[in-house]
Amino acid sequence: METCNPDDTSLFIKKHKHDYMEVAKKYDITESNARNIFVNRRANITLLQMRKMIKDVNLEEFFIPADETVDGKFYPEQGDIVLHSGKNMLVLSKYEVNKKYSFFVGIDLVDGTADGIEVVGEKDSYVGFVQTVSSYSYSRKCPVVIDKINSSNPFEEIFAKFNQIF
């Protein structure tokens, strides 16, 4: 029987490295404590915190070390609205490409421009600025999902405007 090494990163910690704020909110963990648990690895989950999670989490995940197939990175999907490097962006590239190359192609979502295309998310509305289409690497900083487009599909209009420019 293999013993649990407290220096190993558990499966639960690695799985939630990039959505730790949602975990923190759900289980009433302070932001600084959550960052130290999931990102900085300067703290461990307490028994009390585990007890709060018992109905939602397989507790074995706290004691199983994460293997190399769980890389702990978040890969956005086409249609995700993400916050990356201080900017809101609409992801245009597909999940498979984003994961394979650790980057995504997207456009900036800006305020107050007449040249933009309306992008309606599930939580809010945005203006996509097609002229800023670019690839965004996230080898160090990973994007964070803040919204997802709703049933309206802005991609045809975005790609048509893109074709006009180039």
Side-chain angles (χ1 to χ4, degrees), residues 1 14 20 24 62 76 93 121 157:
M1 180 174 163
K14 198 160 185 184
Y20 73 93
F62 293 112
S93 53
E157 189 177 354

Side-chain angles (χ1 to χ4, degrees), residues 115-133:
D115 294 334
I117 294 171
E118 183 180 23
V119 176
V120 180
E122 294 173 349
K123 299 177 185 175
D124 208 347
S125 292
Y126 311 87
V127 177
F129 194 55
V130 176
Q131 289 80 345
T132 62
V133 69

